[in-house]
């Protein structure tokens, strides 16, 4: 018989329908496919959730298998510190890292921020995403969200000047950030940046493909540019200083909250502004990311707002305000 003092690891794939569809330059989807890791010990359960990203060669099935392959290590007392070298960075490690933190906090009778000696997160304004579409469709979607103070606009290449102009007309008071998802080219980079600047955009995220973004160091950038696909963990920060003004930290990229917090500290030391971002996922993915929000200039944790339904005990959203998690959800 297995002792309750021996940690037991379980993992599964879960699916949550998206309200409508979510469209970026790489395509559209109608459901969020997540992988959940659970570590149980002494009657307590720690949970973590990830969203494997095909852009990085990840699939839900492969992430599930990678987590399940850690069963013996977890039973042997794997710590989150040892996890950092036991698994490569990526979505699978994120789910297990967050599960271990959740369990450790419960066992210690602490909230996760107390356990990790981080500032207590407060409520923050999150961006709300407007999917890529025609200028008319994006303007209509923006008009419905124009009361929100911060909007994130998905762009995709040709015609982006018309899209951003239409969005700005539909939401004259909102702060706008733009995500091109690597869809621009050197040929249209300066033109599109100028169009965003003319529309009063605050920040442009990942305009050029990762690894092909040297042009950003050769031009005068009229507004702040943020790295997303070009940055993953601390090791990728220093080479980006000449090209980017900000970095988007996502727990699925860093491989968990442990590295995300260390990366936020390192990014600040290098002078980068910080965005804490997310994939389309449930509140279980957003909850650990809330611990990075005290260091973030931009908070983009709207994943649950894009779903037709969230999981039980989800984060509290009051319009665009998102609040720290209750312990019944995570941490």
């Amino acid at each position: 018989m297995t002792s309750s003092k021996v940690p037991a690891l379980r993992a599964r794939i879960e699916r949550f329908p998206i309200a409508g569809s979510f469209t970026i330059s790489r395509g559209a989807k109608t459901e969020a496919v997540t992988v959940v890791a659970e570590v149980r010990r002494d009657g307590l359960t720690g949970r973590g959730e990830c969203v494997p990203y095909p852009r990085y060669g990840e699939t839900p099935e492969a992430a599930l298998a990678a987590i399940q392959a850690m069963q013996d290590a977890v039973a042997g007392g794997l710590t989150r510190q040892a996890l950092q070298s036991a698994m490569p960075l990526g979505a699978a490690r994120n789910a297990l890292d967050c599960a271990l933190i959740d369990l450790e906090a419960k066992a210690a009778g602490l909230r996760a921020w107390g356990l990790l000696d981080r500032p207590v997160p407060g409520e923050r304004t999150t961006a709300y995403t407007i999917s890529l579409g025609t200028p008319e469709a994006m303007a209509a979607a923006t008009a419905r969200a124009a009361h929100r103070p911060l909007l994130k606009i998905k762009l995709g290449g040709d015609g982006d000047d018309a899209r951003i102009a239409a969005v700005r007309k539909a939401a004259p008071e909102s702060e706008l950030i733009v995500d091109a998802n690597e869809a621009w080219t050197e040929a249209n980079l300066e033109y599109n940046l100028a169009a965003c600047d003319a529309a009063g955009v605050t920040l442009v995220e990942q305009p050029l493909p990762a690894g092909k973004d040297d042009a950003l160091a050769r031009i005068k950038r009229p507004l702040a540019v943020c790295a997303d696909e070009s940055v993953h963990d601390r090791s990728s920060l220093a080479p980006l200083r000449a090209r980017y003004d900000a970095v988007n930290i996502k727990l699925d990229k860093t491989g968990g909250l442990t590295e995300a917090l260390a990366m936020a500290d390192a990014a600040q030391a290098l002078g980068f502004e910080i965005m804490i971002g997310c994939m389309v996922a449930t509140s279980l993915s957003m909850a650990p990311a809330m611990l990075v929000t005290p260091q973030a200039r931009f908070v983009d944790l709207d994943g649950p707002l894009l779903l037709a339904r969230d999981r039980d005990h989800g984060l509290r959203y009051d319009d665009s305000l998102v609040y720290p998690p209750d312990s019944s959800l995570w941490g």
Side-chain angles (χ1 to χ4, degrees):
M1 180 178 294
T2 302
S3 168
S4 65
K5 295 185 180 299
V6 176
L9 171 64
R10 296 183 182 179
R12 61 185 178 274
I13 294 173
E14 297 184 345
R15 299 175 184 272
F16 293 83
I18 291 172
S21 66
F22 180 77
T23 304
I24 66 173
S25 62
R26 280 188 283 273
K29 61 181 182 178
T30 58
E31 66 176 0
V33 182
T34 74
V35 181
V36 174
E38 292 184 346
V39 182
R40 301 179 181 180
R41 186 186 66 215
D42 290 341
L44 301 173
T45 300
R47 300 188 299 165
E49 178 182 275
C50 71
V51 178
Y53 195 19
R55 169 66 178 80
Y56 305 130
E58 298 176 331
T59 66
E61 295 75 16
L64 178 65
I67 295 169
Q68 291 172 332
M70 300 301 294
Q71 286 179 334
D72 288 346
V74 169
L78 178 73
T79 65
R80 60 183 174 84
Q81 293 84 359
L83 174 67
Q84 308 310 303
S85 58
M87 293 181 76
L89 62 83
R93 194 179 81 187
N94 174 35
L96 186 49
D97 182 68
C98 291
L100 290 171
I101 292 171
D102 188 26
L103 179 63
E104 189 177 346
K106 286 180 168 69
L110 298 170
R111 295 309 309 269
W113 44 86
L115 175 76
L116 302 176
D117 195 24
R118 308 300 292 201
V120 178
E123 69 270 18
R124 290 293 305 270
T125 295
T126 179
Y128 181 81
T129 301
I130 304 297
S131 285
L132 177 65
T134 65
E136 295 76 17
M138 293 182 71
T142 300
R144 293 190 293 270
H147 63 286
R148 296 181 181 273
L150 179 62
L151 297 177
K152 179 172 179 174
I153 313 303
K154 291 290 188 177
L155 295 183
D158 293 340
D160 278 347
D161 56 340
R163 292 184 180 98
I164 196 61
V167 163
R168 171 49 81 197
K169 185 176 180 180
E173 302 300 324
S174 300
E175 182 177 12
L176 301 182
I177 56 180
V178 156
D179 187 0
N181 282 115
E182 305 181 278
W184 294 354
T185 67
E186 285 193 39
N188 64 27
L189 173 64
E190 290 184 89
Y191 178 84
N192 283 336
L193 286 175
C196 288
D197 188 39
V201 171
T202 301
L203 181 84
V204 172
E205 199 178 336
Q206 198 66 46
L208 299 177
K212 299 180 181 178
D213 51 3
D214 290 346
L216 289 168
R218 300 194 298 268
I219 67 169
K220 183 177 180 180
R221 301 188 293 273
L223 69 165
V225 178
C226 178
D228 183 0
E229 287 86 352
S230 287
V231 66
H232 291 261
D233 63 355
R234 282 173 289 175
S235 68
S236 56
L237 285 171
L240 302 180
R241 294 178 70 184
R243 284 170 272 173
Y244 293 97
D245 310 287
V247 293
N248 188 344
I249 298 175
K250 293 177 180 174
L251 272 60
D252 282 320
K253 289 191 303 180
T254 66
L257 179 60
T258 299
E259 175 60 25
L261 292 170
M263 181 180 173
D265 293 342
Q268 280 193 319
L270 289 170
F272 288 110
E273 286 192 316
I274 293 171
M275 174 189 291
I276 178 63
C278 69
M279 305 297 287
V280 183
T282 80
S283 286
L284 185 56
S285 282
M286 308 302 128
M290 286 296 296
L291 273 71
V292 187
T293 61
Q295 295 171 274
R297 163 66 176 86
F298 300 97
V299 174
D300 179 24
L301 298 177
D302 66 341
L305 297 179
L306 306 176
L307 299 177
R309 62 176 178 85
D310 194 6
R311 65 174 68 249
D312 292 341
H313 309 295
L315 292 180
R316 174 187 167 195
Y317 286 89
D318 183 4
D319 234 356
S320 288
L321 282 179
V322 56
Y323 292 80
D326 186 82
S327 59
S328 60
L329 173 67
W330 184 88

